[in-house]
Amino acid sequence: MQPVRLGNTLKVPVVQELANKALSQLPPRYVRRRPELPNNHQGEQQVPIIDFRKLLSDEFMHSELLNLHSACADWGFFQMVNHGVREELLKKVKTEVQEFFKLSVDEKEKYGQLPDDLEGYGQAFVKSDEQKLDWADLYYMTTLPVSMRRPHLLPKLPPLLRDAIEEYSSEMKSLSRNLFAN
C-alpha cells in the first residue's frame, strides 16, 4: 500500500527559536482572537468528557453515545476517561515527547518535514505567508497502519521515544477496535 500524501506545507520560523529571542510582543501571524466555545448546561466552557466504560455499559450506553455525538458536533474533540490505557504508558509517552522537544533545533530538524509532505517536525497546513500560525512546533507522524509509516521518521527517532510511540500505538489500536466493536 502506497502512503497517502496529505499535502504540503510552507516552511515557517521555528517557534522555539522565536521564543528564545525574548520578543517584546508576538509576531502578528501568531496573534488570534479567542474563539467562542460552546457552553455546557451550567453555562461553563468545559472540554467534553466521554467515559469509555459507559459506552460499553447497557445502562449508560445510549446517554454516553448522545454525549459523544454532541462532543463531536459541537466541539470536534473530547477527552476520554476509563479507556484502559495504562497511566504509566501515558506518562512515559509524555516524558519522551517532552525530551524530544528539548533537543536543539538542529537535532530536531533531522526529523523535519520533507518537501510535499506534512509528516515530521515543523508546522502543518501552512498555505500562505499571511496565514495565522500556532505558537507551537509539532511533530506529526502516521503510526498506524504500519504500512503507511514513513521509513525516515519512526525508525530513526531516539530509541526511548520510538519504543514509547510503538507501545502507545498498539494500545490505541486495541482501544479503537474495542470502541468500534461495540
Side-chain angles (χ1 to χ4, degrees), residues 76-140:
F77 60 91
F78 54 87
Q79 176 184 357
M80 184 175 285
V81 297
N82 296 320
H83 43 66
V85 179
R86 298 180 333 275
E87 185 68 28
E88 306 82 54
L89 175 58
L90 296 175
K91 287 179 182 176
K92 179 179 173 183
V93 171
K94 182 178 178 179
T95 298
E96 294 308 323
V97 167
Q98 288 171 333
E99 290 302 313
F100 175 81
F101 280 97
K102 287 179 185 176
L103 295 173
S104 70
V105 172
D106 289 341
E107 188 65 24
K108 287 190 296 259
E109 284 292 335
K110 294 177 183 177
Y111 309 100
Q113 296 160 324
L114 297 177
D116 296 325
D117 199 357
L118 292 176
E119 294 194 49
Y121 173 74
Q123 284 259 359
F125 303 107
V126 179
K127 300 294 180 187
S128 78
D129 290 330
E130 294 79 38
Q131 180 178 337
K132 293 288 186 182
L133 301 175
D134 292 327
W135 186 252
D137 300 317
L138 65 83
Y139 186 87
Y140 173 73

Side-chain angles (χ1 to χ4, degrees), residues 18-42:
L18 291 174
N20 288 339
K21 290 182 180 179
L23 303 170
S24 60
Q25 64 181 20
L26 285 177
R29 287 187 78 181
Y30 297 94
V31 178
R32 298 176 187 234
R33 291 177 37 95
R34 183 177 174 178
E36 289 295 319
L37 299 173
N39 292 328
N40 65 13
H41 58 278
Q42 287 96 15

